[in-house]
Amino acid sequence: MTLQVFTTGGTIDKVYFDANSEFQVGDSAISEIFREANVSVTYHVESLMRKDSLDITDADRQLIVEAVRKSTAERILITHGTDTMPQTAAALKAITGKTIVLTGAMQPARLRFTDAIFNIGFAAAVIQTLLPGVYIAMNGQVFEAGKVRKNRQAGRFEAL
Amino acid sequence: MTLQVFTTGGTIDKVYFDANSEFQVGDSAISEIFREANVSVTYHVESLMRKDSLDITDADRQLIVEAVRKSTAERILITHGTDTMPQTAAALKAITGKTIVLTGAMQPARLRFTDAIFNIGFAAAVIQTLLPGVYIAMNGQVFEAGKVRKNRQAGRFEAL
Amino acid sequence: MTLQVFTTGGTIDKVYFDANSEFQVGDSAISEIFREANVSVTYHVESLMRKDSLDITDADRQLIVEAVRKSTAERILITHGTDTMPQTAAALKAITGKTIVLTGAMQPARLRFTDAIFNIGFAAAVIQTLLPGVYIAMNGQVFEAGKVRKNRQAGRFEAL
Amino acid sequence: MTLQVFTTGGTIDKVYFDANSEFQVGDSAISEIFREANVSVTYHVESLMRKDSLDITDADRQLIVEAVRKSTAERILITHGTDTMPQTAAALKAITGKTIVLTGAMQPARLRFTDAIFNIGFAAAVIQTLLPGVYIAMNGQVFEAGKVRKNRQAGRFEAL
């Protein structure tokens, strides 16, 4: 089994740049997380874009869909900002025959306390165990694309 | 869906006691990990024992099997030392109708670098997505009970 | 010996707010750092403001000077953003008879990798060992107020 | 100013070895801590031994004293296990004309929560600011050699 990981940015990959006193999307933390967990399945990581998900346009979303469609992998993990993760998941429903899982984090992976590492671990299992379809893996739960929203106030994902 | 978590000790829960200059099994880190990940499924954590898995006897193993059998939960996550995790998994095969997942860590959860958090996240997904059976979730992979061993030299689990 | 700590904000205390996808100054991390290090000298922590140091005005700076002047403590540690730390240090030179040390961080204290904890430890020693005067403690060095600048490009403080 | 660092082992450098399910003294964490803090003074790190301080013999102690004596550096930081740190400090009083500071940790530097990084920062300042003499830097305090003990029960150092 080979896992294809596409990264698109979002909170999970935010790093702090002292030079401009702000957090911006940096190198993806996912390869480091996989190494730290000594993951022994084969995986490939590719960065598609580095965007806050509020800045992801329809064109960006189409680019993500095309990358997933063209990939020879049948199991694809996508890291993505949480704010528009449900929209991207909905767009990916056009693809059939692949298990596609989106995850992200409410707190950057590089914080001492973060949900990122748990979420990546969780999503890495979902992608290996579920049948083809599009899923969001957040808050220790699996949600089906199109039936999930981010409750911004509560800071978590909820089934619709 | 309700998750029952039983903790039995092992490296994952080792803490450092300065008083005797050694690591021993301490309070389980799992509740903290679930909170940090803002897990929104219902879960209960219960400590069955606090043992290095090399010290787990047949009687201890029987106690674990009984606790799982008596539990009303259908999805049960067990944290366990890695050295004899395959033996405990094999013993649990006597139970049918429940999804039972064992996980642990090569490095204590309280280290700055650890596989524990990823593994807990991974196992938390396996337990929700797989049909009844007994599984070991380690190194980003799912292994069936009875078909897995720890390769101590390589520091990882492998399918038999 | 009693240490007075005044916090003013800056990178050291930045936390990530998912709700607006950005880092802002949060609760000061300094009490937590002191507890984690099991510091056994008496200390008091008081927040004067929560500002990026680029936003600290002359009026803010005057407020800091007054707080230091009015304090009955003779040894005062100030956490401050790095960009205008030299200016605030210079303003504090108006005060005599107290040992005043400013420190901060290039990376927030709540990151897994950060210079904040080392810097707080370093500054906590400088404040106890040096004679009255105003100092900046950064990059494992002590700089005198008025004789130091931040080299923004190199990401470190340098003696003038 | 050049800092010479000698490492001797102790809790601060303990790492977890899964192969034998225990913590042992590993590579010193001090270089990593200095890099993470972007320390810009010149420093050299040399490992003299890797021992739990309860295992440090009189011969080991003599070896440490000789290394300090032969060093051309005038400011020498020693990382050391806490249990017999006061004895080694006392032995070092035979040396004059150098500022010698011993520090260590109650919790390994590689834990997510540790006093090691603060202590190293604290000691790195003490060594630069104090006159020749032998000191222990622990719990955010400076103790003179010969006038300090570890209160094992309370888990901290105290002045005699």
Side-chain angles (χ1 to χ4, degrees):
Chain A
M1 189 186 304
T2 298
L3 305 185
Q4 175 63 48
V5 181
F6 289 126
T7 68
T8 68
T11 292
I12 194 170
D13 284 337
K14 289 214 172 161
V15 298
Y16 188 80
F17 290 95
D18 178 67
N20 43 16
S21 291
E22 62 178 36
F23 268 75
Q24 289 178 342
V25 176
D27 285 337
S28 176
I30 200 167
S31 298
E32 210 177 310
I33 292 171
F34 271 46
R35 269 196 304 275
E36 195 173 332
N38 200 12
V39 167
S40 54
V41 292
T42 307
Y43 60 91
H44 300 293
V45 179
E46 182 182 340
S47 169
L48 296 182
M49 63 196 70
R50 290 184 179 200
K51 290 200 166 186
D52 223 303
S53 79
L54 291 171
D55 300 329
I56 287 185
T57 62
D58 284 350
D60 293 326
R61 207 155 266 130
Q62 206 44 45
L63 188 154
I64 296 170
V65 171
E66 284 315 305
V68 170
R69 196 190 305 276
K70 284 180 196 156
S71 169
T72 56
E74 288 173 10
R75 297 176 184 279
I76 293 170
L77 176 57
I78 300 170
T79 59
H80 194 288
T82 56
D83 284 314
T84 67
M85 193 188 285
Q87 287 92 307
T88 302
L92 285 159
K93 288 185 72 175
I95 299 173
T96 54
K98 295 182 190 247
T99 303
I100 302 163
V101 179
L102 294 93
T103 194
M106 301 295 188
Q107 293 290 318
R110 284 157 180 106
L111 286 190
R112 184 146 71 146
F113 287 100
T114 173
D115 53 337
I117 299 171
F118 181 98
N119 290 352
I120 293 292
F122 190 90
V126 172
I127 208 174
Q128 293 182 59
T129 54
L130 287 196
L131 294 174
V134 184
Y135 310 94
I136 281 181
M138 288 292 293
N139 301 108
Q141 287 196 59
V142 186
F143 301 95
E144 275 184 70
K147 300 181 180 170
V148 56
R149 71 180 190 105
K150 178 179 176 184
N151 179 331
R152 205 166 163 136
Q153 203 146 6
R156 63 166 184 265
F157 281 71
E158 298 172 343
L160 285 179
Chain B
M1 190 185 305
T2 298
L3 306 185
Q4 175 63 49
V5 181
F6 289 126
T7 68
T8 69
T11 292
I12 193 169
D13 283 337
K14 288 213 172 161
V15 298
Y16 188 81
F17 289 95
D18 178 66
N20 42 18
S21 290
E22 62 179 37
F23 266 75
Q24 290 178 341
V25 176
D27 284 337
S28 177
I30 200 166
S31 298
E32 210 177 308
I33 292 171
F34 271 47
R35 269 197 304 274
E36 195 173 331
N38 201 11
V39 167
S40 54
V41 292
T42 306
Y43 60 92
H44 300 292
V45 179
E46 182 182 340
S47 168
L48 297 181
M49 62 196 71
R50 291 183 179 199
K51 290 200 165 186
D52 222 304
S53 79
L54 291 171
D55 299 330
I56 287 186
T57 63
D58 285 350
D60 292 328
R61 207 154 267 130
Q62 207 44 45
L63 188 153
I64 296 169
V65 171
E66 283 316 306
V68 171
R69 197 190 304 276
K70 284 180 195 157
S71 169
T72 56
E74 287 173 10
R75 298 176 183 277
I76 294 170
L77 174 58
I78 301 170
T79 59
H80 195 287
T82 56
D83 284 314
T84 67
M85 194 188 284
Q87 286 93 308
T88 302
L92 285 160
K93 289 185 70 176
I95 298 173
T96 54
K98 295 181 190 246
T99 303
I100 303 163
V101 179
L102 293 92
T103 195
M106 302 293 188
Q107 294 290 319
R110 282 155 180 108
L111 287 189
R112 185 148 68 147
F113 286 100
T114 173
D115 52 337
I117 299 171
F118 181 99
N119 290 352
I120 293 293
F122 191 90
V126 172
I127 208 174
Q128 293 182 60
T129 54
L130 287 196
L131 294 175
V134 184
Y135 310 94
I136 281 181
M138 289 292 293
N139 299 109
Q141 287 195 59
V142 186
F143 302 95
E144 274 184 70
K147 300 182 179 168
V148 56
R149 71 181 190 104
K150 178 180 176 184
N151 179 331
R152 204 165 163 138
Q153 205 146 5
R156 63 166 183 265
F157 282 71
E158 298 172 342
L160 285 180
Chain C
M1 189 186 303
T2 299
L3 306 184
Q4 175 63 49
V5 181
F6 288 126
T7 69
T8 67
T11 292
I12 194 169
D13 284 336
K14 288 213 173 161
V15 298
Y16 188 81
F17 289 95
D18 178 67
N20 43 16
S21 291
E22 63 179 37
F23 267 74
Q24 289 178 341
V25 177
D27 285 336
S28 177
I30 200 167
S31 298
E32 211 177 307
I33 292 171
F34 271 47
R35 269 196 304 275
E36 194 173 331
N38 201 12
V39 167
S40 53
V41 293
T42 307
Y43 60 92
H44 300 293
V45 180
E46 182 182 339
S47 168
L48 297 182
M49 63 195 70
R50 292 184 180 198
K51 290 200 165 184
D52 223 304
S53 78
L54 291 171
D55 299 331
I56 287 185
T57 63
D58 285 348
D60 293 327
R61 206 154 269 130
Q62 206 43 45
L63 188 154
I64 297 169
V65 171
E66 284 315 306
V68 171
R69 196 190 305 276
K70 284 181 195 154
S71 170
T72 56
E74 287 173 10
R75 298 177 183 277
I76 294 170
L77 175 58
I78 301 170
T79 59
H80 195 286
T82 56
D83 284 314
T84 67
M85 194 187 287
Q87 287 92 306
T88 301
L92 285 159
K93 287 185 72 176
I95 298 174
T96 54
K98 296 182 190 245
T99 302
I100 303 163
V101 179
L102 294 92
T103 194
M106 302 293 188
Q107 293 291 319
R110 280 153 181 112
L111 286 190
R112 185 147 68 147
F113 287 100
T114 172
D115 52 338
I117 298 170
F118 181 97
N119 291 353
I120 293 291
F122 191 88
V126 172
I127 207 174
Q128 293 182 59
T129 55
L130 287 196
L131 294 174
V134 184
Y135 310 94
I136 281 182
M138 289 292 293
N139 300 108
Q141 287 196 60
V142 186
F143 302 95
E144 274 184 70
K147 301 182 180 171
V148 55
R149 70 181 190 105
K150 177 179 176 184
N151 179 332
R152 206 167 162 135
Q153 204 146 4
R156 64 165 182 266
F157 282 71
E158 298 172 342
L160 286 180
Chain D
M1 190 185 305
T2 299
L3 305 185
Q4 175 63 49
V5 181
F6 289 126
T7 68
T8 68
T11 292
I12 194 170
D13 284 337
K14 289 214 172 161
V15 298
Y16 189 80
F17 290 96
D18 178 66
N20 43 16
S21 291
E22 62 179 38
F23 267 75
Q24 289 178 342
V25 176
D27 285 337
S28 177
I30 199 167
S31 298
E32 211 176 309
I33 292 171
F34 271 47
R35 269 197 303 276
E36 195 173 332
N38 201 11
V39 168
S40 53
V41 292
T42 307
Y43 60 91
H44 300 293
V45 179
E46 182 182 340
S47 168
L48 297 182
M49 63 196 70
R50 291 185 179 197
K51 289 199 165 185
D52 222 302
S53 78
L54 291 171
D55 299 331
I56 287 187
T57 63
D58 284 349
D60 292 328
R61 207 155 267 129
Q62 206 44 46
L63 188 154
I64 296 169
V65 171
E66 284 314 306
V68 171
R69 197 190 304 277
K70 284 181 194 154
S71 168
T72 56
E74 287 173 10
R75 298 177 183 277
I76 294 171
L77 176 57
I78 300 171
T79 60
H80 195 287
T82 55
D83 284 313
T84 67
M85 194 188 285
Q87 287 93 307
T88 301
L92 285 160
K93 288 185 71 177
I95 298 173
T96 54
K98 296 182 190 247
T99 303
I100 302 164
V101 179
L102 294 93
T103 194
M106 302 293 188
Q107 293 290 319
R110 281 152 180 111
L111 287 190
R112 185 146 69 147
F113 286 100
T114 172
D115 53 338
I117 298 171
F118 181 98
N119 290 353
I120 293 292
F122 190 89
V126 172
I127 207 173
Q128 294 182 59
T129 54
L130 286 197
L131 293 175
V134 184
Y135 310 93
I136 281 181
M138 289 292 294
N139 300 108
Q141 287 197 59
V142 186
F143 302 95
E144 275 184 69
K147 301 181 179 169
V148 55
R149 70 181 190 103
K150 177 179 176 184
N151 180 331
R152 204 166 164 135
Q153 206 147 4
R156 64 165 182 264
F157 282 70
E158 297 173 342
L160 286 180

